[in-house]
Structures are given as C-alpha cells and as structure tokens.
Amino acid sequence: MARHVRVRTLSADDHVVVVGAGFAGWRFTEALRRDGFAGPITLIGDEHHAPYDRPPLSKNVLVGKWELDKTTLATPEHLEKSGATLRLGVAATGLDVAASTVHLADGSSVQGSWVVIATGTRARHLNYGADAQVHTIRSRDDVEALEAVLRGLGAGSTIAVIGGGFIGAEAATALRTRGFEPIVLEAAQRPLIGVLGPEVSLWLEGLATKAGIELRTSQRILDVKLVKQDLVVSFQDDVDLSARAVIVGAGAVPNVEWLATSGLEIDGGVVVDENLIATSTVAAIGDVASFSWRNVFGTERVRIEHWQVANDHAAHLAHVLVTGEASAQLLIPYFWSDQYGKKIQLLGHPRTSDHVEIVHGSVEDDQWMALYSRDGIVSGVVSLSQPRALMLSKVLIEERTSLEDALVRAPWLR
Ligand code: FAD
C-alpha cells in the first residue's frame, strides 16, 4: 500500500542540488535516474574524491587487500551515465532555504528547486596535545595519511588504538594481520556496551584476546603527547604507554555547522520527517539525518550511522520526489562489522536496556544469534558469524512479533 506525501513531484525543469558527495548523495543521484528523473542534478562535495565507499577503509584497504581506488563508487563511466554535475573540493558554507540556494566556500552559490542534505558525519577528535599526529579513519585522505606513517614502521611496532568500538576493533584487526602490535584502549568496562548492551558486550568480550590483540578496558586517558619519535599515551591511573602511532575511533559528529543560520531544525542532526523531508524544498538523508522512524513500536526520532540506512534513505527519498508516494514498508536498520576475525550483524535499532537472549548457537563456539525484545515484542536481532540465521529472522521485526511467537516460529532454523 502506498501513502500519499504532500510534496510537489519533480519534473525535468527541476534542478536537484545534493550537498555532500558521499555514499548517500551518490546513491540518491543513482536512484533519481533509476526512477526516471531526467532534469539536472548537481552534487557538491568538500572532499577531492568522487563519491566512494567507506566500510572498506577500515577493512579491505587497511588490511592491504584493496587499493584505495577500488572504493570509488562514482567512476568516470558511472558519472557520465548519470549526467550529474560534480563539484568537488568545495564546501557548502550556508543554505538560504527561501531562495533554495547553497552558498559555497569559494564565494559562488548554486540554486536549485530541491536541496538534499547528505553531509554525513566526521570523526570525533579528542583534542590531545599531539592531535595533529593522531589518526582517525573516516576518509580516503585519513587512510592515506595513516598509510604514510605505517609504511615507515617495522613489524611488531606498537600502535595504540583509542576506542574499542566498531572502527577501533576493525582497525586493530587489520593492523594485527599486517604484523603490528595494536593495543586497544577502551574507556568503558567492555567494548560496545553502550551500543549493544551489557549482555551482548559480555558475549563478545573474549574475541580480541582470541585474535591475539591486547584489549585494555576502563581506561582513563589524560593525553597523547609527541616525545621524540614516539607518541606517549598518559593515563589517570596507569603507567604511560609509548606507541609508534595512535588511532582514535571515538565516534562521529554530524556535519551540520554550515546550516547554523538556515533556520532548519537541527537537533543532533537535520530534523526530517518519515519521508526525509525538512521543508517543501529541503530534505536530508544518511548519517546526518535525524529522521522519524516508523517501527513496530510506533514512531521515534533517530539518527543512525549505518551504510544500509543511508542506502535505503536514498532510494526512499528519490521515490517520494519522483512519484509523490512513499511505500508503507518499514525501514529495517541493518549494520555489520568485521572484527577480530568474526562478523557482527545487527538488524533493528534495539535499546541497550532491551531484554536479549541467545536463541541459536553458543558463546563458546563464537557463533550465535540473539533476539532483543521490549515489552515482550522482538525489537532487534544480533548475531556473531551467523549471517544466514540473522537474515532469515528479519521477518520478526518487519511485523510486530512477540518473543513467545518468535521462539515457536524459529525462522533462523529454516
Ligand atoms: P558520508 O559517506 O560521510 O558522506 C558525506 C560527504 O559529505 C563526505 O564526503 C563529506 O566530506 C561531505 N561533506 C561534509 N560537509 C560538507 C559540506 N559542508 N559541504 C560539502 N560536502 C560536505 N556502516 C555499516 O553499516 N557497516 C560497516 O561495516 C561500516 N564500516 C565503516 C567503516 C568506516 C571506516 C567508516 C568511516 C564508516 C563505516 N560505516 C559502516 C558507516 C557508513 O560508511 C556510513 O553510514 C555512510 O558512509 C553514510 O553515508 P553518508 O553519505 O551519510 O555520509
């Protein structure tokens, strides 16, 4: 069943301006063309690279399996086919919503009939004394800068990885594969406790050690300083750690500052409705969008930094703008992470306070699948190296399903 959305549908006379030439911006451009929009599209990006894919940066690229160019999504052929105008290396500095005009850092401006905000997030910096020497992994340039340092290091060099979350764990895994000695420094009692909850983080606890990676938890880091050739990490209650390189994976910050005077509602992201619409001519998609998410419990406002969500946003918004209709199908968030030689996958957007229980496999074997539930209703599915079981269980959150019923149906066994 399709619902009618109160937006003017696009005609070939419209000019769509997409700010942020990243994953969501590019996927949206592709989706507009696929859905039949023939008018002009301008894609504005502050990076010097054509749209590329970020997940491989901390996986295949860092491990040395892929050249950076392999991450490119908008190849010259794709770009030509899309007919989109790409303006790279120039940041948007302001948006005049009434005039539907984007102001750029080089003093120029671009006017469109629709402006789609897809500026994503940036890596959080922790402002250490040696911030300029501390690495993050968000962009191609970040990885190039890190590689330049890694190339000068011998096997067995100590690399401090601050943050044991998804990016930190993936980076440590890749570095270990390359013969370095990563030491993961996590502030919390256990990695991912604040994302997946206390039980799941407990089930994942031994993975780093089994992969031969040192993980230190409950770390209170005071500073990182450059001392001769080394970076010295100092702690509140531990001896200093000397490392040849430091990587920080401490979460991301939405790129919304350029919208400060736009009048748009900004609340930890660009606030948009269920169809990703902010005003009659402005929308936001991907990591930067704080959107109304309809799910089996009702509607809540969320901002989710998942590749699949950015992809679904792009397809959904294009469909709404081209047809004026939105599908009634629920968006099911999906996330994966390859770390310590295992694959963690998550469906849904469960809360850390949700009840969670393993329904398939076992922690001893490091192969399991668990269901999250809230008020007796399934709210998420999480698995460790059980991709098939997880995907078969998606039905449990596409429709409101009681935990009791889920256990009887057990779709993961099919
Ligand atoms: P981005 O891809 O960040 O694109 C935004 C673009 O806008 C950037 O190029 C940015 O520079 C540009 N921009 C910002 N401000 C401006 C401005 N003012 N003017 C012009 N341009 C601007 N997700 C998963 O689900 N699974 C994974 O395993 C996974 N691994 C990841 C690994 C890494 C290293 C990273 C960094 C992310 C990973 N993600 C993963 C998350 C996923 O990549 C993001 O959800 C996705 O890239 C979001 O797309 P986006 O277009 O919203 O943002």
Side-chain angles (χ1 to χ4, degrees), residues 85-106:
T85 303
L86 191 57
R87 289 195 61 177
L88 291 178
V90 63
T93 50
L95 171 63
D96 181 337
V97 173
S100 203
T101 299
V102 179
H103 299 288
L104 305 181
D106 63 3

Side-chain angles (χ1 to χ4, degrees), residues 19-25 44-47 54-55 57-59 90-92 118-121 137-138 167 170 255 258 285-288 305-308 310 334-337:
V19 187
F23 177 66
I44 298 163
D46 62 356
E47 295 188 75
R54 287 173 208 275
L57 296 181
S58 52
K59 305 175 183 71
V90 63
T119 44
T121 55
I137 307 178
R138 177 78 207 172
I167 302 285
E170 292 190 349
N255 292 317
W258 68 282
I285 55 174
D287 284 7
V288 79
E305 297 169 7
H306 296 359
W307 186 95
Q308 186 64 50
Y334 167 71
F335 180 87
W336 82 98
S337 172

Side-chain angles (χ1 to χ4, degrees), residues 197-337:
E199 293 88 351
V200 177
S201 69
L202 193 63
W203 303 332
L204 298 170
E205 196 176 26
L207 293 186
T209 315
K210 283 182 205 161
I213 294 171
E214 184 178 343
L215 166 69
R216 301 184 191 172
T217 54
S218 305
Q219 299 292 297
R220 299 279 165 272
I221 295 172
L222 295 177
D223 202 3
V224 179
K225 287 202 183 91
L226 185 63
V227 180
K228 292 187 184 144
Q229 273 201 314
D230 281 342
L231 287 158
V232 176
V233 186
S234 58
F235 303 87
Q236 197 173 303
D237 39 24
D238 210 340
V239 290
D240 290 357
L241 170 70
S242 192
R244 299 306 312 278
V246 174
I247 298 170
V248 171
V253 184
N255 292 317
V256 290
E257 291 77 2
W258 68 282
L259 296 164
T261 58
S262 67
L264 291 177
E265 188 183 353
I266 308 290
D267 182 12
V270 181
V271 176
V272 288
D273 70 9
E274 190 177 313
N275 292 310
L276 294 324
I277 309 281
T279 73
S280 57
T281 53
V282 179
I285 55 174
D287 284 7
V288 79
S290 180
F291 65 104
S292 290
W293 176 48
R294 223 165 22 87
N295 55 62
V296 296
F297 295 93
T299 301
E300 58 187 301
R301 191 146 59 74
V302 293
R303 192 178 64 74
I304 301 180
E305 297 169 7
H306 296 359
W307 186 95
Q308 186 64 50
V309 171
N311 190 60
D312 291 357
H313 275 179
H316 183 92
L317 181 66
H319 188 72
V320 168
L321 296 190
V322 171
T323 67
E325 290 182 344
S327 116
Q329 222 182 339
L330 297 181
L331 180 151
I332 306 292
Y334 167 71
F335 180 87
W336 82 98
S337 172

